[in-house]
Amino acid sequence: MTGSLRFEVLGPVRAWRGDVEVELGPPQQRAALAVLLLQEGTPLSPSQLVSALWSGAEPRAAVGMVRSYVSRLRQAGVEIESVSGGYALRDASLDATEFQHLIRTGEPRAALRLWHGTPLSGLTGDFAEAARVRLSELRTTAREDAAAADIEAGRHTEAISDLTDLIASEPLRERPRELQMLALYRSGRQAEALEVFTRIQRLLETELGLYPGPELQEMQRRILAGEAVSSSHPTQLPPDLPEFVGRESEKAALSAWLTRPGAVIGIEGLAAIGKTTLAVHVGHTLADRFPDGQLFLDLSASPDPLAELLRGIGVPNPPTSSSERAALWRTRTTGLRLLVVLDNARDTDAVRPLIPAAGAVMITARRRLYGLAHWTKLSGLSPAASTELLEHLVGADRIHHEPAATSALVARTAGLPQVLQAVGARLTSRPSWTMAEAVDRLGRPAPGSPVMPPECGAIEKPYESALAELSPAQARAFRLLSDTPEISIPAASSTLGLPLGDTALLLESLVDAHLLDPSGTDRYRYQEPLRMFARGQVVVAESMQNV
């Protein structure tokens, strides 16, 4: 069973079942396995496998040989699937996949421990050589990131030693020299740090006729100006909420991740669920771990995020070129213990250049951005935390005087912070209401009602912006399925007039947008405030059709 096999390509191609190595056959058969493994589940036809294995110099019986390799590998327990006339190896436990995951999550040293020699050693051909080059480049980047993490943690001697070895094997690569300059400078060896720049300048000019790039030039400038110790300690986080309640498990998880060098974490959830509030609270709680500063940037309101970040760390006139800004941002943040909060993110490609060279990043987004961060999904507050928030807003005596009515009111809010805030504001404005009266009076009126209470507008404004981000098919489903709190895929299929498969995909997309929650096998449910909003939108949509 492939599920019980562990594969290695960061060295000789091997497979293990527990502690026992599985015999994979001759080199060309191992090469066929490596090709399938590195496709990460993408099917290849026999002719594509032939091309990868022999690079145009295949023998006459090459296709038959490929089929024989696949048959023997299957006999060894490798679950190679036949897909559309080709072959695929899905969900394999592969060291190269784990290596890249550890790099993305800011654990370069753990990633480097997975290496045990030259990738695909013993295999020949263009495919194997190209894979070796790609994986070796990733390893070099991981070694650089590990050195940067050592510098950030004050382990300058270890960083200098590792960088010296890296420079010996990659003499024309500029980032190791940049990091070595920083490590030497922070060790009190300024003259040696500047000599590193002089040596690489001469080498580049002699070998390539080039001058050091902007990152190295900036590092030299910072050392000469005495600016390579730390930034100007920016503290841009918005104020913390005095009545912050709950979220204990989420705070603990986020705090644990932020202790890791180079951590990039994300908080996803429904509009107004409290993502920004939680990120700001955690940022204030951990501020002492980031002595070089805390930056905050609302990406939905920033026309030029990189320029704003650079100004935040003391660059008054950032370069006009986006590539130069990105290079300068990475250079200026190398070795810093900096926290960057990127609020309201929507696009992975737009966020990636904003990740600093060191420190940590918290991202908030309505939908998860894949391949970028470790994510925490935010739901409503617990009943206890919801009650505590209402205590802060309207007073403990009033809340605890009628515990049953308070519990009923809290249940109707689904723990959604903006609903609790609106309810608290309404109760404060009506001091004569008992909690039982509040349960009877508060809530969205029936669709089509001529009067909308003010708290409903405050509650539903974030939902309106979330609705605007949906496709027409998603918005229609969100509205039409809201007659009941819970719905099955077959019932939704009947209501929407769609096949079961299309209906399931549509409902899952609403889960991704946090507008529906899974509720058992093939069932979904609305949070009550969202269902009331959706029912109101049915009337709005019908009135627009009748105009």
Side-chain angles (χ1 to χ4, degrees):
M1 297 286 290
T2 300
S4 64
L5 295 182
R6 185 178 78 259
F7 296 97
E8 296 176 352
V9 296
L10 300 179
V13 178
R14 292 175 175 171
W16 301 84
R17 182 177 286 109
D19 295 329
V20 179
E21 184 173 0
V22 176
E23 175 55 49
L24 296 175
Q28 203 70 338
Q29 186 167 300
R30 291 172 181 262
L33 173 61
V35 172
L36 291 172
L37 284 169
L38 292 173
Q39 296 304 308
E40 297 182 338
T42 301
L44 290 181
S45 67
S47 61
Q48 288 173 315
L49 268 171
V50 166
S51 177
L53 292 175
W54 284 283
S55 307
E58 64 272 12
R60 288 184 179 180
V63 171
M65 294 171 70
V66 162
R67 288 175 176 151
S68 176
Y69 295 155
V70 169
S71 176
R72 292 175 194 164
L73 288 168
R74 284 171 170 168
Q75 291 172 15
V78 182
E79 290 185 343
I80 300 175
E81 300 179 28
S82 295
V83 183
S84 303
Y87 303 109
L89 189 52
R90 306 182 194 273
D91 302 322
S93 175
L94 179 63
D95 58 355
T97 303
E98 176 66 9
F99 172 75
Q100 293 176 78
H101 169 74
L102 289 169
I103 291 176
R104 286 195 300 269
T105 55
E107 300 181 75
R109 291 217 172 275
L112 290 169
R113 286 195 290 270
L114 295 174
W115 282 68
H116 42 272
T118 302
L120 309 178
S121 61
L123 303 186
T124 60
D126 292 348
F127 176 87
E129 183 57 31
R132 268 192 289 271
V133 170
R134 180 178 68 85
L135 292 168
S136 296
E137 171 63 23
L138 289 173
R139 181 173 184 260
T140 299
T141 300
R143 292 178 69 184
E144 293 170 341
D145 290 345
D150 281 341
I151 295 170
E152 182 182 355
R155 297 188 292 268
H156 303 129
T157 302
E158 294 90 333
I160 292 168
S161 175
D162 291 344
L163 290 165
T164 300
D165 292 342
L166 181 53
I167 289 168
S169 61
E170 300 277 354
L172 296 176
R173 194 175 178 97
E174 295 192 25
R175 191 180 177 217
R177 306 271 187 166
E178 174 195 345
L179 291 168
Q180 189 182 45
M181 290 172 68
L182 181 64
L184 287 166
Y185 179 81
R186 297 221 176 144
S187 300
R189 299 157 66 180
Q190 179 174 344
E192 292 176 68
L194 293 171
E195 179 60 27
V196 171
F197 183 88
T198 301
R199 286 198 300 270
I200 186 61
Q201 179 183 358
R202 290 172 181 163
L203 183 62
L204 289 172
E205 184 176 0
T206 301
E207 297 288 331
L208 304 174
L210 298 176
Y211 194 76
E215 295 93 341
L216 272 170
Q217 294 180 50
E218 175 63 14
M219 183 58 70
Q220 182 200 38
R221 186 201 67 77
R222 289 176 63 194
I223 290 172
L224 289 170
E227 297 175 359
V229 177
S230 68
S231 67
S232 55
H233 309 292
T235 52
Q236 297 181 350
L237 291 176
D240 198 4
L241 279 183
E243 68 273 12
F244 188 92
V245 299
R247 308 294 193 201
E248 297 303 328
S249 62
E250 292 92 343
K251 284 192 295 183
L254 293 170
S255 298
W257 272 95
L258 286 172
T259 62
R260 306 183 182 191
V264 181
I265 60 175
I267 306 171
E268 62 165 324
L270 179 66
I273 195 70
K275 302 180 293 295
T276 304
T277 300
L278 176 60
V280 169
H281 179 74
V282 171
H284 280 289
T285 302
L286 302 180
D288 61 339
R289 298 187 187 177
F290 302 98
D292 293 319
Q294 306 90 42
L295 295 173
F296 181 90
L297 186 61
D298 183 355
L299 296 177
S300 68
S302 175
D304 194 340
L306 259 180
E308 287 195 39
L309 289 172
L310 284 167
R311 284 192 285 268
I313 59 171
V315 180
N317 298 302
T320 56
S321 161
S322 59
S323 60
E324 289 181 339
R325 285 199 297 270
L328 184 58
W329 168 244
R330 188 169 182 84
T331 298
R332 291 297 295 267
T333 56
T334 295
L336 295 183
R337 288 171 292 176
L338 187 73
L339 175 65
V340 179
V341 179
L342 301 174
D343 196 30
N344 290 316
R346 297 190 179 189
D347 180 75
T348 298
D349 291 337
V351 171
R352 201 177 298 280
L354 310 180
I355 307 298
V361 179
M362 272 196 293
I363 302 166
T364 73
R366 292 185 181 180
R367 302 192 190 196
R368 181 171 300 200
L369 307 180
Y370 288 93
L372 191 66
H374 174 83
W375 289 89
T376 293
K377 180 178 177 180
L378 215 55
S379 302
L381 294 169
S382 68
S386 299
T387 302
E388 185 180 353
L389 179 55
L390 279 180
E391 287 180 17
H392 284 292
L393 297 171
V394 303
D397 290 344
R398 194 173 178 189
I399 293 298
H400 293 296
H401 184 66
E402 299 173 85
T406 297
S407 296
L409 188 61
V410 163
R412 285 173 54 180
T413 70
L416 301 179
Q418 89 279 13
V419 180
L420 289 161
Q421 292 279 356
V423 167
R426 187 66 161 164
L427 286 170
T428 301
S429 72
R430 296 293 188 272
S432 63
W433 285 4
T434 64
M435 295 302 293
E437 286 177 309
V439 172
D440 292 336
R441 290 173 177 266
L442 291 175
R444 198 184 199 282
S449 174
V451 177
M452 181 70 69
E455 66 269 15
C456 291
I459 291 170
E460 295 183 355
K461 186 175 180 180
Y463 302 156
E464 290 170 357
S465 65
L467 187 64
E469 296 175 358
L470 300 181
S471 69
Q474 289 173 316
R476 175 175 177 267
F478 176 67
R479 294 192 302 267
L480 295 185
L481 301 179
S482 61
D483 279 346
T484 59
E486 189 170 305
I487 192 164
S488 66
I489 289 178
S493 173
S494 176
T495 299
L496 299 175
L498 294 174
L500 288 172
D502 291 346
T503 300
L505 290 174
L506 197 53
L507 295 181
E508 282 296 316
S509 74
L510 292 176
V511 172
D512 290 338
H514 309 289
L515 296 172
L516 281 181
D517 292 331
S519 181
T521 304
D522 293 340
R523 298 190 68 83
Y524 300 84
R525 66 182 179 87
Y526 287 86
Q527 299 280 9
E528 188 62 15
L530 280 168
R531 189 172 79 90
M532 293 297 100
F533 169 68
R535 291 181 63 191
Q537 291 300 305
V538 172
V539 176
V540 172
E542 289 175 350
S543 64
M544 292 181 66
Q545 291 175 355
N546 295 329
V547 172

